[in-house]
Amino acid sequence: MNRLKKRWNISSNWQLASILIVFAITGFSALQVAKPFLSLIGIPETFQPHWLYRVLRLVLIFPFYQVLLVFIGFLFGQFTFFWNFEKKMLNRMKLGFIANFVDEKILKK
């Protein structure tokens, strides 16, 4: 645990626990949100071919996860940690322009 605390630049065990809880809640929530969203846009679970349904669901889970991670992190008082985490992830995927846009237009940094 000390390695994680050092790597993430956090000081307390409570902060580490809340961060791990946010990751768990976000993963579960992203899975749960994607299924009804597909139904909402007209793609039921019985969609054929079924492998395509699974691929679409996985593709949807990714953006839901990104948004939920920052939102749930905010609810747990860890917005700064998760926003920095998100920016690093977006930069690694060559999508850093999204983080820059949010910083400039929405967060006004």
Side-chain angles (χ1 to χ4, degrees), residues 19-108:
I19 288 169
L20 294 176
I21 290 169
V22 168
F23 278 123
I25 292 172
T26 302
F28 180 75
S29 299
L31 287 172
Q32 298 305 313
V33 170
K35 187 175 181 180
F37 186 79
L38 281 171
S39 294
L40 182 70
I41 61 173
I43 302 174
E45 193 171 358
T46 58
F47 184 79
Q48 292 297 326
H50 195 66
W51 64 267
L52 183 57
Y53 174 83
R54 295 288 178 205
V55 169
L56 290 172
R57 189 167 177 204
L58 285 173
V59 168
L60 275 177
I61 287 170
F62 180 74
F64 285 140
Y65 182 83
Q66 305 309 313
V67 172
L68 287 171
L69 187 63
V70 175
F71 178 71
I72 295 171
F74 170 77
L75 294 178
F76 275 74
Q78 299 296 327
F79 176 79
T80 303
F81 172 82
F82 284 104
W83 179 240
N84 290 333
F85 187 88
E86 188 66 31
K87 287 192 295 189
K88 189 186 303 183
M89 188 182 318
L90 288 170
N91 282 327
R92 287 180 181 164
M93 294 184 306
K94 307 297 186 218
L95 297 172
F97 64 92
I98 297 171
N100 294 336
F101 176 81
V102 171
D103 272 345
E104 292 173 9
K105 302 293 182 184
I106 298 173
L107 299 178
K108 309 242 190 269

